[in-house]
Amino acid sequence: MISRLLAVLPDLAPWRSSRDFRLLWVQGLVTYLGSVMALIALPLQIKELTGSPLAVGAMGAVELVPLVVFGLYGGALADAVDRRKVIVLTEAGLGVLALVLLANALLPHPMLWPLYLVAAGVAALAGLQRPALDSLLARIVPHDQLAAAAALNALRWQAGAIAGPALAGLVVAYAGNVPAYTTTAGCFLVSVLMCRLLSPVPPAEHAARPSLRGIAEGARYAWSRPVLLGTYTVDLAAMVFAFPNTIFPFLADELHAEWALGLMYSAGAVGSLLLSLTSGWVSRSSRHGLLVVFGAAGWGLAMAAAGWTSNVWLVLVFLALAGAGDMLSGLGRSTIWNQTIPDRLRGRLAGIEVLSYSVGPQLGQVRAGAMAGWTGARPAIWSGGLACVAAVGLLAAALPGLVRYDARTDPDARRRAAGTTAPMGTETTAPVGTEPGQEGVDVVG
């Protein structure tokens, strides 16, 4: 019985083997706890200033262009420069933007336009940072520990996502925006100091300078791999149709449960946490494409149920189930990306990944806000959930390679494990030497 219990618990091998993984894990928790304060305070402040669901949803439109442009450029940058330097500088920039929010909140009459300006700035800096941060994992963790590392990173996010929104909801409701933004700025200061402790992560020896040609090379590689294409499109569809977070304040009003707003934001993380705490089996699974499809479909179905019911406790339960589905899909995506993408393209493909899991929520905010202004919050949520299920089903049928993906037989996964890669668009093995991080030692730490 004890051995069976231990088999489903998270695999701690990456934590034991990599100093930089441990450092990034703690730094990410600090950053998230600070960010979630602003994540909740910002839409609430816009709601207070305008009273409009559309104005809240417009945050997604403001963030979209900077995220796309800087996400793609950030991917090329991550392949060309020291990734630690990118992470430190962008983290410092995010801290400055938190100070801007604080300064605006201290005004006798806070202004609306700085909130949108900061939202756009955060999207730009996040677009620059995420490729460097995401592409770091395959450099600091051995190949056979990538699935376990993804699960541990998810566990970190969930710990912050459960405590953070509940705490932030209380802070904003009872203390106001100023303490929330002060906490955000303080957390980013701590995060910058921790990021400076990371070991340098220099680019490959003959890495090209960031360019449109380099970005196009990464895009061609992604387009030539149906499995990768499937991970991007499934996640994009799930978020566009079924990401209702920005209209939670209006859902709480419709349910006459303003007290539950913080719980709505954290419920998804509770479901994600429960899945992660039993994620030991993920390390032993090889059919990660199925995780992507079933997880995304489960996310949509649970969101539809959350929008349909009028009982606030059932809403919270279904939001938790949605979070579990999203985490299942996320573990599958992250594992496929790290198992199959060669290191020379890792940053540029991470830039595309940023678009797949970040652009979707931005568009989802616009969709949910616009529809909630027309039909109300609940119909906007349940109709989006059903559309998500339909879209995932169509994509799974159109891209069967994703459903059939098996890490034991997939050519790209086998080459990545062996430290080799193939010329773009081919399936023949072309040795290029052992890639960093494949020797089973902490090459960065």
Side-chain angles (χ1 to χ4, degrees):
M1 174 64 86
I2 294 178
S3 62
R4 290 181 180 178
L5 177 62
L6 293 176
V8 300
L9 293 178
D11 185 353
L12 299 179
W15 181 273
R16 292 191 294 265
S17 67
S18 173
R19 165 193 174 270
D20 279 295
F21 179 80
R22 295 191 296 272
L23 192 59
L24 278 176
W25 197 95
V26 176
Q27 173 270 333
L29 181 61
V30 172
T31 296
Y32 188 84
L33 287 174
S35 299
V36 77
M37 288 284 179
L39 181 69
I40 291 181
L42 193 56
L44 276 176
Q45 193 173 14
I46 295 176
K47 176 178 179 288
E48 292 167 358
L49 293 173
T50 67
S52 168
L54 183 59
V56 176
M59 282 179 56
V62 169
E63 295 166 342
L64 183 58
V65 173
L67 188 60
V68 171
V69 173
F70 287 92
L72 290 173
Y73 181 77
L77 191 67
D79 283 336
V81 302
D82 187 333
R83 292 169 188 172
R84 181 188 66 168
K85 184 180 296 184
V86 175
I87 294 169
V88 170
L89 292 177
T90 51
E91 201 77 353
L94 291 168
V96 171
L97 292 179
L99 292 176
V100 173
L101 290 175
L102 176 60
N104 183 61
L106 288 169
L107 294 175
H109 302 287
M111 297 178 288
L112 180 63
W113 66 265
L115 304 184
Y116 289 116
L117 182 65
V118 168
V122 168
L125 289 173
L128 286 174
Q129 183 190 80
R130 291 302 306 185
L133 199 58
D134 291 349
S135 62
L136 199 57
L137 188 63
R139 293 283 295 271
I140 65 177
V141 173
H143 184 85
D144 61 352
Q145 296 177 11
L146 288 172
L152 290 176
N153 278 340
L155 191 62
R156 174 200 64 195
W157 174 82
Q158 291 139 12
I162 291 172
L167 178 61
L170 292 174
V171 169
V172 174
Y174 294 103
N177 295 321
V178 171
Y181 294 143
T182 301
T183 302
T184 300
C187 286
F188 275 112
L189 174 60
V190 173
S191 177
V192 169
L193 296 176
M194 295 186 71
C195 288
R196 287 177 59 86
L197 298 176
L198 290 169
S199 302
V201 189
E205 185 177 354
H206 301 294
R209 296 179 61 183
S211 65
L212 291 176
R213 182 178 180 180
I215 294 173
E217 181 187 7
R220 286 195 302 272
Y221 182 89
W223 185 261
S224 70
R225 264 58 181 183
V227 173
L228 290 180
L229 196 60
T231 64
Y232 302 144
T233 55
V234 166
D235 186 49
L236 185 64
M239 294 298 104
V240 168
F241 290 117
F243 187 80
N245 289 29
T246 53
I247 61 172
F248 280 166
F250 299 92
L251 177 62
D253 287 346
E254 289 187 16
L255 297 176
H256 306 291
E258 291 80 2
W259 56 268
L261 179 59
L263 296 177
M264 290 180 183
Y265 279 108
S266 60
V270 172
S272 298
L273 177 63
L274 293 176
L275 185 82
S276 292
L277 288 175
T278 57
S279 63
W281 60 273
V282 175
S283 298
R284 299 183 295 277
S285 172
S286 61
R287 301 295 302 277
H288 304 110
L290 289 175
L291 304 186
V292 174
V293 171
F294 287 135
W299 154 270
L301 191 61
M303 278 298 180
W308 186 262
T309 183
S310 60
N311 183 297
V312 66
W313 293 108
L314 285 178
V315 168
L316 295 174
V317 169
F318 287 127
L319 290 177
L321 291 174
D326 185 45
M327 180 50 54
L328 183 65
S329 182
L331 289 177
R333 293 193 310 272
S334 177
T335 303
I336 288 173
W337 294 339
N338 285 310
Q339 282 181 340
T340 63
I341 297 172
D343 192 66
R344 65 183 179 86
L345 293 171
R346 195 68 192 87
R348 281 164 284 180
L349 269 292
I352 297 175
E353 292 158 18
V354 167
L355 300 187
S356 79
Y357 63 67
S358 297
V359 170
Q362 311 314 320
L363 293 175
Q365 290 182 87
V366 177
R367 184 212 67 83
M371 191 165 182
W374 176 40
T375 66
R378 288 177 58 201
I381 294 172
W382 68 253
S383 62
L386 293 180
C388 166
V389 175
V392 170
L394 290 174
L395 288 169
L399 297 167
L402 175 64
V403 178
R404 294 197 302 264
Y405 175 84
D406 191 323
R408 297 168 298 182
T409 58
D410 181 80
D412 288 325
R414 295 181 66 181
R415 281 191 291 269
R416 187 74 174 86
T420 59
T421 189
M424 287 179 53
T426 73
E427 295 300 335
T428 59
T429 303
V432 294
T434 303
E435 293 184 29
Q438 300 311 306
E439 300 84 358
V441 297
D442 184 10
V443 297
V444 181

